């Protein structure tokens, strides 16, 4: 069966959710976003406003906004109204509710999630309609934010990641002639304290809509509380608003100390790296950072209603090292090494210990099913740095915890019996925690070895690359392919399918991003005799897979 035989034929006009031509919708929205980005670079704010209005009133942008909020991780989380859009009919009906006229957001639902330090982080959960409206206006705002962003800002931006920020730290600090002192900045309650007046005066979007979101209030224990400052953690548009509030500090520093690679910058070696609300600033001396850089930063933050935490804002010598985004950045006898931080390692091992202690009687295969994604995710985050020795240590500590878990279950059994039941030899690996597959399938489930995760070099994104400009389009296509290759490394079947499809979804024809979730579709169904060979499989976005089968 050919690829085209399983793809529905779409017209330009849709009459239900599954008849929407997603390729056309993406093209129309991207076209307007490109025009917004170009107008922003020219500082033609009148044209930006006109194009944003055109985009937020378009059918294409509305359906993409609804698709986003009904496919992300929070798709089943309700707001104060208890509604979710979990059927094609509800999604289709929601299109007509995304209107500016008469729009009034409902209060946020206040929930709390634990932070790494044991404290609780407040989240504000909007209703589905409010989330979709935020996603709609984000489509119009993000081209502006990308065109005005600081060069070395990496958090909550498309195609940028923690690995890019860490690589920039290496660039700024690794040479013999690099700066030796680092200001570690910590903003006190960034999301909770950003000035509403500053946001309304400076964010280039519909002021009326923005004011309504900021002043919506939140419900906690049945009581409505007002919001006088801050942008809620939990809102789709909040990270971009926070980014735009913090953008501009790099320009302030450059105006005072000179741009990178200029004569003035060589004297001070002031360089800036930011990921969301965490940032570092390098300098040639402790005195420079204390007396000149820090006052500038405090004044910049004060304009936006923010202040630095006195306890967590530190000035450190690179020979002593500092923790940034879960990594430890330090020079050892003049050589820069970046490793997983001790705190991050302890937190990860503690999460595994807590799981094993609270699941003392579950089957071994359930333990493997739980731990493998945890190990894979943690290792993939740290695989771009000097983590080989840490990965070996992680394997050793997990083995010790599993050995204690097994002995606790079988108190009356000999150690040799426990070893033969749970720990197998696989190739050159000994003591591999294993569990037989059920129902006579044969074979075993195996625990992932952290030491087997390949440590690789991360290729940092170009600082000035803008995914909304046509001249950078080919660069981002190559970047997505490179990162997708690395994410599929070791899975030859998916790799063959991705190459055959030119790294694009076979339905909407949009390129896969390396962080995307996807489904594998059988061209000829298994119940009809189809095989699991790569020639009978297609990689699809989750929504596109549902579209083929006509399910929610």
């Amino acid at each position: 069966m050919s690829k085209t035989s399983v793809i529905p034929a779409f017209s330009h006009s849709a009459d239900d959710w599954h008849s929407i031509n997603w390729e056309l919708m993406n093209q129309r929205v991207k076209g307007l976003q490109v025009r917004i980005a170009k107008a922003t670079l020219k500082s033609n704010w009148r044209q930006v406003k006109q194009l944003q209005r055109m985009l937020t009133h378009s059918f294409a942008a509305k359906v993409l906004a609804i698709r986003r909020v009904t496919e992300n991780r929070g798709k089943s989380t309700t707001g104060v109204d208890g509604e979710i859009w979990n059927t094609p009919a509800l999604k289709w009906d929601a299109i007509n509710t995304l209107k500016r006229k008469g729009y009034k957001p409902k209060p946020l639902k206040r929930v709390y999630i634990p932070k790494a330090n044991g404290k609780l982080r407040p989240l504000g959960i909007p209703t589905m309609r409010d989330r979709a409206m935020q996603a709609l206006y984000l489509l119009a705002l993000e081209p502006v934010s990308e065109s005005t962003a600081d060069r070395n800002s990496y958090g909550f931006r498309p195609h940028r990641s923690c690995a890019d920020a860490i690589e920039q730290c290496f660039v700024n600090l690794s040479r013999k002639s690099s700066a030796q002192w680092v200001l570690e900045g910590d903003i006190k309650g960034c999301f909770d304290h950003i000035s509403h007046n500053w946001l309304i005066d400076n964010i280039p979007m519909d002021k009326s809509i923005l004011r309504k979101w900021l002043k919506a209030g939140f419900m906690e224990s049945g009581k409505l509380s007002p919001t006088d400052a801050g942008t809620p953690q939990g809102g789709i548009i909040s990270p971009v608003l926070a980014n735009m509030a913090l953008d501009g500090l790099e320009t302030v520093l450059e105006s005072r100390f000179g741009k990178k690679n200029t004569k003035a910058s060589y004297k001070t070696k002031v360089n800036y790296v930011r990921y969301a609300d965490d940032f570092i600033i390098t300098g040639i001396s402790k005195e420079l950072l204390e007396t000149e850089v820090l006052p500038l930063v405090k004044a910049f933050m004060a304009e936006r209603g923010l202040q630095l935490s006195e306890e967590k804002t530190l000035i450190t010598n690179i020979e002593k090292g500092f923790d940034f985004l879960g990594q430890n950045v330090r020079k050892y006898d003049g050589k820069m090494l970046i490793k997983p931080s001790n705190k991050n390692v302890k937190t990860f091992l503690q999460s595994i210990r807590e799981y094993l202690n609270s699941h003392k009687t579950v089957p071994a295969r359930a333990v493997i099913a739980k731990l493998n994604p945890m190990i894979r995710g943690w290792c993939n985050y740290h695989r771009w740095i000097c983590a080989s020795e840490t990965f070996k240590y992680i394997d050793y500590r997990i083995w010790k915890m599993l050995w204690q878990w097994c002995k606790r279950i079988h108190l009356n059994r000999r150690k040799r019996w426990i070893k033969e039941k749970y720990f197998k030899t696989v190739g050159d690996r000994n003591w591999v925690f294993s569990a037989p597959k059920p129902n006579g399938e044969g074979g075993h489930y195996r625990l992932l070895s952290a030491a087997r995760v390949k440590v690789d070099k991360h290729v940092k994104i170009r600082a000035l690359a803008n995914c909304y400009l046509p001249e950078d389009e080919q660069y981002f296509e190559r970047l997505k392919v490179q990162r997708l290759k690395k994410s599929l490394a070791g899975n030859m079947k998916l790799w063959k399918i991705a190459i055959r499809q030119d790294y694009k979804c076979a339905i909407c024809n949009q390129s896969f991003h390396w962080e995307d979730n996807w489904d594998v579709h059988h061209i000829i169904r298994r119940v009809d005799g189809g095989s699991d060979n790569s020639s009978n499989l297609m990689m699809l976005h989750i929504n596109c897979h549902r579209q083929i089968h006509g399910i929610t």
Side-chain angles (χ1 to χ4, degrees):
M1 185 180 292
S2 66
K3 186 174 85 170
T4 54
S5 63
V6 298
I7 300 177
F10 295 123
S11 63
H12 285 190
S13 58
D15 51 18
D16 62 60
W17 185 255
H18 282 322
S19 66
I20 294 173
N21 184 339
W22 292 108
E23 182 178 5
L24 180 63
M25 299 300 101
N26 278 290
Q27 287 175 355
R28 287 178 174 174
V29 169
K30 186 62 182 289
L32 284 170
Q33 288 178 322
V34 168
R35 293 173 64 187
I36 291 171
K38 288 181 175 179
T40 301
L41 292 176
K42 296 177 182 176
S43 298
N44 189 343
W45 300 111
R46 183 174 181 178
Q47 186 180 17
V48 167
K49 185 176 180 180
Q50 291 173 344
L51 291 169
Q52 285 181 325
R53 186 182 185 282
M54 191 184 303
L55 191 148
T56 54
H57 284 72
S58 70
F59 175 83
K62 290 178 180 180
V63 295
L64 287 180
I66 293 170
R67 179 175 176 177
R68 175 171 179 173
V69 301
T70 55
E71 289 185 16
N72 61 15
R73 292 181 181 178
K75 63 184 178 183
S76 301
T77 304
T78 62
V80 293
D81 59 359
E83 290 185 5
I84 56 172
W85 299 339
N86 56 357
T87 67
L90 288 173
K91 296 173 188 177
W92 183 256
D93 292 341
I95 298 171
N96 290 326
T97 69
L98 303 187
K99 296 179 179 178
R100 181 184 186 279
K101 187 176 180 180
Y103 171 66
K104 184 179 180 181
K106 294 185 177 180
L108 306 167
K109 182 172 74 173
R110 174 61 61 89
V111 297
Y112 294 89
I113 60 171
K115 296 170 67 174
N117 59 7
K119 296 181 180 180
L120 294 176
R121 184 192 305 276
L123 292 185
I125 308 299
T127 64
M128 288 297 294
R129 184 193 180 198
D130 293 336
R131 269 178 265 174
M133 283 292 282
Q134 289 189 21
L136 175 62
Y137 279 84
L138 178 58
L139 289 171
L141 182 61
E142 197 167 62
V144 179
S145 69
E146 282 300 294
S147 303
T148 58
D150 287 342
R151 293 194 316 276
N152 290 304
S153 163
Y154 298 97
F156 303 120
R157 294 182 60 192
H159 308 287
R160 286 163 170 82
S161 65
C162 290
D164 291 308
I166 293 296
E167 187 64 23
Q168 186 61 36
C169 290
F170 184 85
V171 170
N172 290 342
L173 293 162
S174 60
R175 299 182 183 90
K176 288 183 179 180
S177 58
S178 297
Q180 297 298 304
W181 292 90
V182 177
L183 169 65
E184 305 169 57
D186 185 273
I187 304 171
K188 189 183 294 184
C190 177
F191 280 85
D192 299 328
H193 296 108
I194 298 176
S195 166
H196 283 180
N197 291 335
W198 190 94
L199 290 172
I200 293 168
D201 292 341
N202 292 277
I203 300 298
M205 65 168 288
D206 190 309
K207 308 295 184 184
S208 174
I209 295 291
L210 178 58
R211 184 179 290 104
K212 288 178 181 179
W213 285 336
L214 296 175
K215 302 296 183 183
F218 63 89
M219 295 292 294
E220 185 174 14
S221 302
K223 181 182 177 182
L224 177 63
S225 300
T227 46
D228 300 318
T231 177
Q233 297 185 59
I236 288 177
I237 204 169
S238 293
V240 173
L241 295 178
N243 260 346
M244 296 186 77
L246 297 175
D247 281 334
L249 180 54
E250 190 167 28
T251 304
V252 170
L253 293 171
E254 287 178 348
S255 65
R256 174 67 178 82
F257 302 104
K259 289 189 177 182
K260 192 172 182 180
N261 298 326
T262 62
K263 190 174 180 179
S265 70
Y266 282 128
K267 292 180 180 179
T268 58
K269 297 177 182 175
V270 171
N271 293 295
Y272 171 75
V273 181
R274 178 170 67 83
Y275 186 91
D277 58 345
D278 294 322
F279 66 90
I280 66 158
I281 302 173
T282 67
I284 198 167
S285 69
K286 185 177 182 179
E287 292 72 22
L288 174 76
L289 294 175
E290 278 183 343
T291 60
E292 297 189 50
V293 173
L294 193 54
L296 274 179
V297 175
K298 287 182 175 179
F300 177 88
M301 297 298 172
E303 289 180 15
R304 291 147 175 78
L306 302 171
Q307 58 181 324
L308 298 179
S309 169
E310 297 292 340
E311 302 80 23
K312 297 180 181 178
T313 299
L314 308 171
I315 297 177
T316 312
N317 190 284
I318 191 61
E319 294 289 341
K320 183 180 178 182
F322 63 94
D323 290 349
F324 185 55
L325 305 178
Q327 324 283 23
N328 180 259
V329 184
R330 182 179 175 185
K331 274 188 175 178
Y332 298 81
D333 296 325
K335 183 178 180 180
M336 169 73 76
L337 292 179
I338 303 178
K339 304 177 182 181
S341 70
N342 290 335
K343 181 180 178 182
N344 192 273
V345 172
K346 288 178 181 177
T347 302
F348 174 63
L349 291 175
Q350 180 64 26
S351 66
I352 292 180
R353 183 180 297 107
E354 288 174 355
Y355 171 78
L356 293 177
N357 288 340
S358 60
H359 294 78
K360 298 177 181 179
T361 59
V362 298
R365 64 175 179 271
V367 173
I368 294 172
K370 175 67 177 181
L371 295 191
N372 273 352
M374 294 173 66
I375 297 170
R376 184 180 294 109
W378 190 85
C379 291
N380 283 341
Y381 179 81
H382 293 286
R383 64 183 293 200
W384 313 111
I385 58 175
C386 302
S388 296
E389 293 301 318
T390 307
F391 287 174
K392 293 176 185 177
Y393 173 72
I394 289 291
D395 278 342
Y396 167 69
R397 290 294 303 276
I398 292 175
W399 173 82
K400 285 196 71 173
M401 285 187 274
L402 288 172
W403 179 245
Q404 293 298 323
W405 182 83
C406 294
K407 288 199 301 180
R408 186 169 52 207
I409 295 174
H410 304 287
L411 294 173
N412 299 323
R413 292 288 188 173
R414 294 177 180 270
K415 292 179 181 179
R416 182 181 294 275
W417 183 92
I418 295 173
K419 177 188 181 300
E420 291 175 352
K421 178 175 176 63
Y422 290 103
F423 297 91
K424 310 295 182 183
T425 298
V426 182
D428 60 347
R429 293 174 61 199
N430 298 318
W431 291 81
V432 180
F433 188 70
S434 307
K437 293 183 178 179
N439 304 325
E441 294 180 21
H444 288 75
Y445 297 110
R446 313 287 189 192
L447 186 73
L448 179 70
S449 168
R452 294 296 174 118
V453 176
K454 184 182 177 183
V455 174
D456 206 348
K457 171 117 177 119
H458 178 75
V459 179
K460 192 184 82 69
I461 193 169
R462 267 191 351 225
L464 293 174
N466 186 336
C467 60
Y468 293 106
L469 295 181
E471 54 265 34
D472 289 330
E473 185 174 357
Q474 287 188 340
Y475 168 75
F476 279 102
E477 289 294 330
R478 291 194 301 269
L479 185 70
K480 283 193 286 188
V481 169
Q482 289 171 3
R483 294 184 173 178
L484 187 62
K485 283 180 181 178
K486 290 184 176 180
S487 70
L488 294 178
N491 193 327
M492 291 307 297
K493 184 178 286 189
L494 280 179
W495 177 234
K496 288 179 181 178
I497 299 169
I499 293 175
R500 188 179 72 227
Q501 295 180 195
D502 194 25
Y503 311 104
K504 296 178 180 178
C505 174
I507 296 296
C508 66
N509 204 36
Q510 298 301 301
S511 298
F512 286 112
H513 188 265
W514 67 287
E515 292 180 329
D516 279 350
N517 291 320
W518 52 69
D519 279 347
V520 176
H521 169 70
H522 287 75
I523 299 173
I524 300 175
R525 299 184 305 172
R526 279 177 293 186
V527 295
D528 296 331
S531 69
D532 287 329
N533 295 332
S534 60
S535 58
N536 189 49
L537 300 176
M538 295 164 54
M539 283 175 63
L540 305 174
H541 287 119
I542 293 174
N543 184 76
C544 297
H545 196 196
R546 291 170 176 164
Q547 198 165 319
I548 285 181
H549 292 287
I551 59 177
T552 60

